[in-house]
Amino acid sequence: MKQKWVLIVLLLALTLTACSKAGSNGGEASSGSSPSASNGASASNSDALKVVLLIPGTLGDKSFFDAANAGLTKVKQELGAETKVIEMGTDQTKWEPTFNDVAGQDWDVIISGGSQITELLNATAEQHPDKKFINYDTDIPETAANVHAYSYATNEVSFLTGAVAALTSTSNMPNANPDKLIGFVGGMDIPGINAFLVGYIEGAKYAVPDIKVAISYAGDFANPGKGKELSLLQYNSGADVIFNVAGGTGLGVFDAAKEKKRYAIGVDSDQAAMMTGTDADKASLIVTSAIKKIDEVILSAVTKVKDGSLEMGKLEVVGIKENGVGLAENSIYANVVPEDIRTKVDEIKTKLTSGEIKVDNAMGMDTAQIDEIRNSVKP
């Protein structure tokens, strides 16, 4: 009988130990969160800053949202913050309840980004004045008193990509053709996307005055199939390099580039670097990317929250001079793009930084003005 009781006690002890280990391993799970997110909340630490990132979409775009997630990873690693990322998906009806739910929890800093989310973020912030909110990318100047928002001079970095594209198209690079035609695939015909377009066109014309630009809008930021379809049409019409400004849809641009053995330019993140490990052949055709340094901006903002220096109720614009945007000057850029082109691009960058070159911004233009610019390079 005594042996039986000893056995029971041992079994109970083993069970309790196993449960304790299982409970100490992971981050929190919630509706809208994804196991692919690497920023689960760390073990409880009352002194650590608690930071949550709300993605108005899903991770895996190798662009805008992945760059934000990389920023949150840096916040966790470099600042010791407790962090969590929640993927809210593309159903916008689910965004507001998620925001309200998260704002009612004990997070110190709530981060999200994109002009589509700005109105909701500001409204939620106004209802929770004790919280600090960061909007890592918006083109809307209005901000609530407890929000710090960022906008990027995408017209400036797109000027550089336009120069790269035009010079690539007119070069002796192996996948370039004699046609002076480059391409642009945008997610939607909206001011934020056209800010890229106008800079791209002006930079291309600065480098090659008689360049032509094929322009397509997918009407969607999460449809790679549509991105590939539009890109194939442009490549087949003679374009030899296409600038992707279409989020997840833009992944189809790279599929088309690989199929047609033509060049492409990425956006928001260093998209070649993000693909090198999974598809080196595809990555080698992405000659550069127009980078918004979203990860560094998020890290900087949270660092300033931690030390109390972040100015709230403000929209901050960061451009080439502020190191908020720039080209991906990776090993592919160095090895694939000829030195003479890279030298010319560096000269243009210096002139942009000094203010010698001024780039127009579609954010202040009406439809007629944008149409005039588009028509100036119509094939």
Side-chain angles (χ1 to χ4, degrees), residues 221-232:
F221 287 98
N223 189 342
K226 185 67 173 179
K228 181 177 180 180
E229 175 189 340
L230 294 173
S231 299
L232 287 174

Side-chain angles (χ1 to χ4, degrees), residues 274-295:
M274 298 180 88
M275 293 181 187
T276 298
T278 55
D279 195 329
D281 291 338
K282 187 185 294 184
S284 69
L285 296 170
I286 305 172
V287 292
T288 190
S289 294
I291 299 176
K292 291 180 181 179
K293 300 186 180 181
I294 292 171
D295 56 341

Side-chain angles (χ1 to χ4, degrees), residues 168-370:
T168 295
S169 181
T170 54
S171 72
N172 292 321
M173 292 170 62
N175 297 316
N177 62 44
D179 298 332
K180 293 183 180 180
L181 177 65
I182 59 177
F184 178 95
V185 174
M188 292 185 180
D189 187 357
I190 56 177
I193 297 301
N194 287 330
F196 284 95
L197 175 64
V198 169
Y200 183 63
I201 290 173
E202 291 189 353
K205 291 173 70 175
Y206 181 90
V208 181
D210 58 345
I211 197 74
K212 301 299 180 185
V213 184
I215 302 166
S216 302
Y217 299 95
D220 196 331
F221 287 98
N223 189 342
K226 185 67 173 179
K228 181 177 180 180
E229 175 189 340
L230 294 173
S231 299
L232 287 174
L233 288 172
Q234 291 189 8
Y235 286 131
N236 288 335
S237 70
D240 42 19
V241 54
I242 296 176
F243 186 18
N244 151 43
V245 190
T249 296
L251 297 178
V253 176
F254 307 135
D255 293 334
K258 181 178 179 180
E259 182 174 317
K260 302 301 293 185
K261 290 185 172 55
R262 294 288 183 264
Y263 297 114
I265 295 174
V267 73
D268 291 337
S269 301
D270 184 345
Q271 294 193 291
M274 298 180 88
M275 293 181 187
T276 298
T278 55
D279 195 329
D281 291 338
K282 187 185 294 184
S284 69
L285 296 170
I286 305 172
V287 292
T288 190
S289 294
I291 299 176
K292 291 180 181 179
K293 300 186 180 181
I294 292 171
D295 56 341
E296 295 296 337
V297 161
I298 288 176
L299 175 61
S300 174
V302 178
T303 301
K304 290 177 181 177
V305 168
K306 189 174 182 179
D307 65 26
S309 65
L310 186 67
E311 183 179 351
M312 308 308 291
K314 177 182 179 180
L315 174 68
E316 182 178 350
V317 180
V318 290
I320 288 177
K321 184 177 180 180
E322 297 78 18
N323 199 34
V325 296
L327 289 182
E329 298 179 12
N330 53 30
S331 60
I332 294 171
Y333 180 73
N335 295 326
V336 174
V337 178
E339 184 179 1
D340 63 322
I341 292 179
R342 288 184 278 118
T343 298
K344 289 179 183 177
V345 172
D346 284 342
E347 292 170 357
I348 294 170
K349 180 180 177 181
T350 299
K351 292 179 180 179
L352 285 167
T353 303
S354 69
E356 182 178 340
I357 294 177
K358 302 289 186 184
V359 188
D360 289 327
N361 194 338
M363 301 304 297
M365 295 181 180
D366 58 30
T367 303
Q369 290 174 298
I370 294 174

Side-chain angles (χ1 to χ4, degrees), residues 36-59:
S36 68
S38 60
N39 295 304
S42 58
S44 178
N45 180 350
S46 59
D47 296 328
L49 200 64
K50 296 179 179 179
V51 185
V52 60
L53 171 65
L54 305 182
I55 297 289
T58 57
L59 296 174

